[in-house]
Amino acid sequence: MTLQSHLSDPLYFSASVGVDCPLCSGGVFRAVITLLIIDHHESIRRALAQRLSRVPGIQVAGVAGSSEEGIAQARTVHPDVVLLELKLHDGRGLDVLRAIRAENPAIRVIILTSYLDDFERQVALKAGAEQYLLKDIDSKRLSSVILGRNLAAS
C-alpha cells in the first residue's frame, strides 16, 4: 500500500490517525485539516489565516473575499472545512453555504460572524452549517471546532 492510497482509504485513514505508520513521515500518521476562509474584510481574512496557520493540524488552503471567489476556491482546493462569514458585501453568504454543501456535502462549513442573528443562525444550521460562531471566539476554541473536537451546534 502506498502513502497516497492509504491517505485516500477512509477505513485506513480513520484507523491510523495518530498511530505508528511505516509509510508516513516520522513513522506516525497525523491528519491535517485543510481550511478555506471566506470573508469580505481583508484584514479579517489575513488575521484568521495567520492565527490558524500556526495551529498544528490546520493548513490554510485558501482565502476568498466574495461569494463567487469562495465558491470557486472551494471547487479548486477541496477544503475539509470552510470558515464563512454570511454577511458578505454581495449579500450571498447563504447562497455560498448552500452551493458548497450541494457540491460537496463532506465539506464542514462553520459560520464565523460579527454579530448574532438568531434567524440567520437557524437558517444557516438548517442549510448545513455545522456551527454558528461569533468572531470574538478565542483561538483555542476556534481551533478545536475546526479540528472537530467540539461539534455540538452553538
Side-chain angles (χ1 to χ4, degrees), residues 1-153:
M1 175 178 276
T2 66
L3 176 60
Q4 185 62 35
S5 66
H6 93 68
L7 290 178
S8 63
D9 180 347
L11 293 175
Y12 191 90
F13 178 86
S14 63
S16 62
V17 174
V19 300
D20 292 336
C21 172
L23 298 173
C24 299
S25 175
V28 176
F29 179 76
R30 287 183 172 64
V32 174
I33 301 294
T34 55
L35 177 68
L36 171 61
I37 300 166
I38 305 172
D39 195 295
H40 58 269
H41 290 105
E42 183 179 348
S43 59
I44 298 288
R45 290 192 309 269
R46 192 175 330 118
L48 283 169
Q50 196 171 52
R51 176 170 124 183
L52 294 169
S53 66
R54 293 191 297 254
V55 176
I58 297 176
Q59 175 189 358
V60 178
V63 294
S66 69
S67 57
E68 287 181 14
E69 186 182 8
I71 292 169
Q73 287 257 355
R75 288 176 180 146
T76 302
V77 301
H78 306 285
D80 298 306
V81 177
V82 172
L83 282 184
L84 172 63
E85 166 61 86
L86 287 180
K87 298 168 186 77
L88 297 173
H89 282 310
D90 61 11
R92 295 190 49 225
L94 281 170
D95 293 338
V96 173
L97 167 61
R98 289 181 181 119
I100 289 171
R101 297 289 295 149
E103 290 183 25
N104 189 343
I107 295 176
R108 297 171 40 228
V109 180
I110 299 167
I111 306 306
L112 191 63
T113 190
S114 299
Y115 58 90
L116 180 63
D117 178 325
D118 283 329
F119 178 74
E120 179 184 78
R121 177 183 177 274
Q122 290 174 358
V123 171
L125 293 173
K126 188 174 182 175
E130 182 176 286
Q131 295 251 347
Y132 184 97
L133 305 170
L134 296 178
K135 288 181 181 173
D136 66 355
I137 189 171
D138 65 80
S139 294
K140 184 176 181 180
R141 173 134 192 268
L142 181 58
S143 299
S144 291
V145 171
I146 292 167
L147 291 168
R149 296 183 185 141
N150 180 6
L151 299 179

